[in-house]
Amino acid sequence: MKRCNNPPPGQVYVHPNIRLHTVALGLTRAGISSIVPELGTKLDLSALASLGLCGVVRPPFFSHSHSLYPLLSSQKATDTEEEEDQSEKKYRKCEKAGCSATYPVCFASASERCAKNGYTSRWYHLSCGEHFCNECFDHYYRSHKDGYETYASWKRVWTGNGKSEPSLKAFMADQQLPYWVQCTKPDCGKWRQLTKEIQLTASLAATYRCGMKLNNPCPYLEPCCVPQRVAEVIDSWWHSMLILPPLFKDSPANPFLTAYYPDCVGMSPSGSTINTCSITHTFCSVPGLCPYFQPFYQPNECGKALCVRPDMMELDELYEFPEFSRDPTMYLALRNLILASWHRGCKEVLTPQNCAPHIIVRGLVRVRCVQEMDRVLLFMTRKGLINTGVLSVKQPLLPERYHNKNVIVIGAGASGLAAARQLQNFGMQVVMLEASERIGGRVWDDTSLGGVTVGRGAQIVNGCVNNPIALMSEQLSINMHKLGERCDLFQEGGSATDPAIDKRMDFHFNAILDVVSEWRKDKSQNQDTPLGEKIQEVYKTFLQESGVQFSQLEEKVLQFHLSNLEYACGSTLDQVSARSWDHNEFFAQFSGDHTLLTEGYSSVLNKLAEGLDIRIKSPVQAIDYSGDIVKVTSSNGTQWTAQKVLVTVPLTLLQKNIIQFNPPLPERKLKAIHSLGAGLIEKVALQFPFRFWDGKIQGADYFGHIPPSPDKRGMFGVFYDMDPQGKRSVLMSVVTGEAVPSIRDMEDKDVADQCMKVLRELFKEQEVPEPVNYFVTRWSRDMWSQMSYSFVKTGGSGEAYDIIAEDVQGKVFFAGEATNRHFPQTVTGAYLSGVREASKIAAL
């Protein structure tokens, strides 16, 4: 069937929604009645339609040559003049300023007196292509009308679940507008309007093809004005003319957001139910979902890393999509849908074709939502919020305009691999240059101890909720072993420490740090002092003012906690800034379980490296970015060129000028590089013929060693059981703080002997066998690392991380844990810095 809002003279349209242009034809009602006497004086368009007079009526029915035409044209002139005088009453434009609909058509057809596209006392505007007449308004709004109870029932549900006003316009948009669906045939893609009887589902949207029979003789309307109406939707002004924001039904985000008012997060209150009891919930469980996937904050929740407010746009989102700043509902609905869909299926690339069928909203606005969804999904992919990790990508994730860059990544550690994987997935040409003979950087897994994986570098994931390491573990189906909280403290001599003493000293230790936090509030950088010095000052003041006297054992337990602090900082406390030692705690941190990657971080990094062009044994000596093209030269003279270069080498190598930059790096960046410290810890791992410790630690994942004196602090402070299944016998311990330089010149056997001496003191009441095998790490001697992780030195600031992360002239970029102010000192932080830089490079 064809219809048009403004048909040319000489054509009669008899679809129920079409005006009969009697004036244009010179026909009077009486004249038509003389032709179709069955209709009498009650002639209307519906009656004509019932007679089968559908579509465009053409000659000979109303032909000038037809024998009836002279009869009609001989009507009195007064009849024609009377119709012409009333012609203005036959039309009423939409009163919405700027509306492009010259002759609105009522989509509702709810009332028997529906104006169709004729005269009504008022048009109600929903969009530039969607209006309903005053008669249909009354049909639902007036209590004596047939539709009132339908509206009242909807209103009760909306009021019970939603926060927005349950107006009749909202009812019409939510319940009465027709659905639009796009043909999925590759050579078609046209939009079709479903009849009101058809309910759109994700399944139907994903499989719809033009001409499908949907248990209805007319499954969709294809009026002549459809192309124009759909074409208008993509224009920027069209969105501004929407009266109501789109609210999705059955969104994949719904199970994540049951604690929110649906209309505050882009969903329809008529199809969602809020959980009034979950206002204090910190996690909304979604059946079948990895418990570490919590992409949305729950109400009144904060401080959880990589979480978004489902009811608010982030700053980078506002920057990218300023048109949604006034009313972000459409953006939030799309972003929340995309994030939820990604976390439900993170093992496959999320595409527009995956998401579009789940956009269930009535009216032409669905066309706009599908179009905007492409943009939102592209932005989220570029930012690394979705379609990230170890995905196998067959087609570039970004459009062709992003492919015209070639990039050199220096360093194949976690940050370099993350960036290279992202950039290659985006469609760019990437070459990686790695100085050593292996990939991984400060991730180096060792399996020499009976096949047990022991990380010479990182192996623990601190906080798994939303952690990208947890995401990649899920993608690879790798199990993460949750570390228990119990850590019994043993004294040399074999006795276990009373947990009450440990709890008491832990309280005092944290109280000291709280005093330090108060002290630094009004201190500038040049008023900084070493953390160890400040702790001793606060501790002495406390003892003097309180009169408290700690026992010798309590003093030793306090030393254990100080040793743990040196482990966290990777340094002796006399080098660490009292003002900025925990600078990143001001940002949201990863929450949830601490886990041991029993298969090692290499299982993740090796997968990231698959398919990348990595040149090992290629130490970079110089980077020349003085021209349009960046030149990178290795120590053997080999030269590479690229448009962009990403430097991911450890902080120590930047401090020692291992790479010569031309021109030299900005003074501001150099100052920041030297204001951070290169922290260092070492590890020792031992394999035994049997698990001699089981009976004493009773299944705990680790146990602590209380130092016998302050000068022994940091020497094997914690021991980790590296086989949580309890089948193999491997313990790993750490050397931190002042103890690190003390073992630097010792032979590995001597270090292992020192460790055995400690173990025999802790398990004095039983036999401790000689180790079958062991290894000692030597990160201080590793030519291409020379460190473990960074910290803020006295007089420094957390801002240094941001400054080091700044690119130089849009050509040279920097990543690594020492460029991540929010998550330094971790593989997670390194990985995220690589994703961050890949996004920056792609955007330029």
Side-chain angles (χ1 to χ4, degrees), residues 146-160:
D146 292 343
Y148 177 77
E149 185 49 45
T150 302
Y151 172 55
S153 176
W154 169 89
K155 194 173 179 180
R156 285 191 292 272
V157 174
W158 189 281
T159 304

Side-chain angles (χ1 to χ4, degrees), residues 275-297:
N275 184 351
T276 54
C277 298
S278 61
I279 210 79
T280 58
H281 286 187
T282 57
F283 171 53
C284 181
S285 178
V286 178
L289 193 75
C290 172
Y292 297 142
F293 292 177
Q294 299 175 29
F296 303 107
Y297 278 122

Side-chain angles (χ1 to χ4, degrees), residues 48 193 439 541 798:
L48 281 173
Q193 177 182 312
I439 67 167
T541 301

